[in-house]
Amino acid sequence: MRIEIISTGDEIVTGLVVDTNAAWLSALLLEQGWQVRRRATVGDNLKDLKAVLQESSERAEVVLVCGGLGPTADDLTAQAAAEAFDQPLTLHPDWLATLEARYAARGIPMPASNAKQANLPQGCEILDNPVGTACGFLVRHPASHGLSQLFFTPGVPFEFKQMVCEQIMPRLKYLAGEQTDTELRRFYTFGISESALSDRLDAAPWPTGIELGYRSSMPLIELKLIGHGASVVDMDAAEARLLGEISPWLVGRGNQEPASQILTLLGERPLTLMEGESRGALLGLCHDYPQLQAHFDPQLPSELAQLAGSGAGLSLTIGRAGADGVPLLLCADGESIGQTLKVRHPDPGSGRKILAFAALDMLRRHLSGLPVIADYLTLPRSAERRR
């Protein structure tokens, strides 16, 4: 099933608003087994909107269109759809009645401009919006490849996401039946650069129908093993090959963020954080954990030998930067293991994220029964300590 996304609005084209909707939707569809083949962005221009709608409908079985359904004069998506597919704008009295009832329930009259949001292409199917005034709608259009189905949604992120999850995803699953054209497996690495991973993983081609994608998300590198119609046997073999190369730096896999996966290993054990150089970056990774105590002390020692934990239980401490780097200490039930790492990154904020995850990785390795001190290719170590 070929899927394309169209984002509309001058604010998107000019960069005044970041198009987070399209990124979120692409990722959601990929998790369900459908890879978006093309994304387009178009401003509030009727001619351009009509052209891109017609072009996408001739290529794709499913087109997802976001934005331009508001009550103002520059909201042109419904009109563009009506003209592009020869389905003239028609008043949909059921949606008009819904709008009037919502305003009446709030005790205020409905502005006349909102009536525009009930003028939709003739014959379209309404997609309910329980949290806003712009309903979505579905237009079915005969195309050279068969039938193209175009889903139109509001651009307000909260409304958009709810409509996608409640109205559109069930329809897409019905269209696809049991068939998906894509399988996605995610893996996360830490302590190795994207270029070093590429040297290891891209020297030989992957099997037909399988590709490897990279995404740098400081401080991690996410690897996406994507199968297009590949068999389970081929995907398993590709995964085994991948793990054989990245296992020393593998810190998580699947759809859950690695930090959450690590904290899950704690069960309900209390965890104490002491932060100096990282300035709250470690707390940012752990803030959802309920059994957490966190402290910031800019006067923490810069020497590993002088760094102290919190006593009994589990604690992670990140000291101040010194001449040899930044000391990190894990204390676990009376035992303390530490290391001093040199972080070389031009952006201070990214450097703090690297330190925070390095400390959290010490905890992961301890809870997983692995050696707490790892060999990172991107983080030189100047000292270790075990007591």
Side-chain angles (χ1 to χ4, degrees):
M1 183 166 64
R2 183 182 176 93
I3 301 178
E4 296 191 7
I5 294 175
I6 300 172
S7 301
T8 74
D10 287 345
E11 70 279 5
I12 300 293
V13 174
T14 57
L16 294 175
V17 173
V18 177
D19 187 8
T20 58
N21 284 349
W24 176 85
L25 181 56
S26 292
L28 176 67
L29 291 169
L30 189 58
E31 290 172 3
Q32 300 299 319
W34 307 304
Q35 184 171 4
V36 173
R37 298 300 177 183
R38 186 174 297 198
R39 283 173 25 185
T41 306
V42 61
D44 297 315
N45 178 279
L46 186 60
K47 182 179 178 180
D48 292 343
L49 285 165
K50 288 167 59 177
V52 75
L53 290 173
Q54 291 167 339
E55 291 165 6
S56 287
S57 69
E58 285 300 318
R59 284 191 301 262
E61 289 90 349
V62 172
V63 183
L64 299 158
V65 187
C66 177
L69 301 183
T72 59
D74 61 346
D75 290 307
L76 300 170
T77 300
Q79 183 181 347
E83 296 185 15
F85 305 118
D86 296 321
Q87 297 180 1
L89 286 177
T90 305
L91 179 66
H92 283 61
D94 289 347
W95 188 251
L96 180 60
T98 297
L99 292 178
E100 291 172 340
R102 289 183 183 174
Y103 276 98
R106 294 160 56 189
I108 56 176
M110 185 183 81
S113 59
N114 283 109
K116 173 189 175 186
Q117 295 174 294
N119 283 314
L120 306 170
Q122 188 176 50
C124 72
E125 178 184 344
I126 287 180
L127 305 176
D128 186 33
N129 181 356
V131 293
T133 60
C135 68
F137 58 91
L138 166 60
V139 171
R140 296 177 175 88
H141 176 66
S144 57
H145 55 72
L147 185 68
S148 183
Q149 305 205 43
L150 298 98
F151 295 85
F152 295 81
T153 69
V156 179
F158 177 70
E159 299 177 27
F160 161 78
K161 291 179 180 179
Q162 185 163 337
M163 187 175 293
V164 167
C165 293
E166 295 181 358
Q167 299 289 325
I168 297 177
M169 290 307 296
R171 288 172 168 82
L172 294 185
K173 291 177 181 178
Y174 176 79
L175 286 174
E178 297 299 320
Q179 300 298 317
T180 58
D181 56 15
T182 303
E183 181 183 357
L184 170 67
R185 302 185 185 183
R186 282 193 171 100
F187 307 86
Y188 299 89
T189 61
F190 175 73
I192 183 171
S193 68
E194 190 171 2
S195 56
L197 284 169
S198 180
D199 288 346
R200 292 172 175 270
L201 299 171
D202 297 334
W206 293 87
T208 301
I210 296 176
E211 63 178 296
L212 182 67
Y214 299 79
R215 184 175 75 94
S216 179
S217 179
M218 181 60 61
L220 308 175
I221 305 294
E222 178 187 352
L223 299 168
K224 298 184 290 289
L225 197 63
I226 306 170
H228 303 286
S231 69
V232 173
V233 172
D234 287 343
M235 286 294 289
D236 288 346
E239 179 178 322
R241 170 185 161 185
L242 177 66
L243 293 176
E245 295 289 348
I246 69 171
S247 288
W249 307 280
L250 182 71
V251 295
R253 56 192 297 173
N255 292 329
Q256 187 182 26
E257 290 295 325
S260 298
Q261 296 182 37
I262 295 169
L263 295 171
T264 299
L265 298 175
L266 283 167
E268 297 183 356
R269 297 180 65 182
L271 176 65
T272 301
L273 309 179
M274 293 289 294
E275 296 198 68
E277 193 67 27
S278 53
R279 301 185 189 180
L282 183 55
L283 174 60
L285 292 174
C286 303
H287 70 277
D288 287 334
Y289 187 64
Q291 301 294 323
L292 185 70
Q293 290 188 359
H295 311 277
F296 172 64
D297 183 356
Q299 302 304 316
L300 283 171
S302 60
E303 297 294 331
L304 182 60
Q306 300 172 5
L307 212 59
S310 64
L314 284 168
S315 69
L316 290 171
T317 304
I318 301 176
R320 288 187 298 114
D324 295 326
V326 179
L328 283 68
L329 186 68
L330 165 71
C331 291
D333 304 320
E335 181 185 14
S336 63
I337 302 173
Q339 58 182 331
T340 299
L341 299 176
K342 291 188 174 182
V343 178
R344 298 167 178 167
H345 199 286
D347 174 49
S350 296
R352 291 191 285 271
K353 290 180 180 179
I354 292 170
L355 286 170
F357 199 90
L360 198 59
D361 194 38
M362 294 173 68
L363 177 64
R364 177 189 71 86
R365 298 178 69 85
H366 167 73
L367 295 172
S368 301
L370 300 171
V372 170
I373 305 298
D375 290 322
Y376 301 129
L377 300 185
T378 57
L379 289 171
R381 183 180 302 107
S382 61
E384 293 185 26
R385 165 183 151 188
R386 297 174 186 270
R387 287 182 184 172

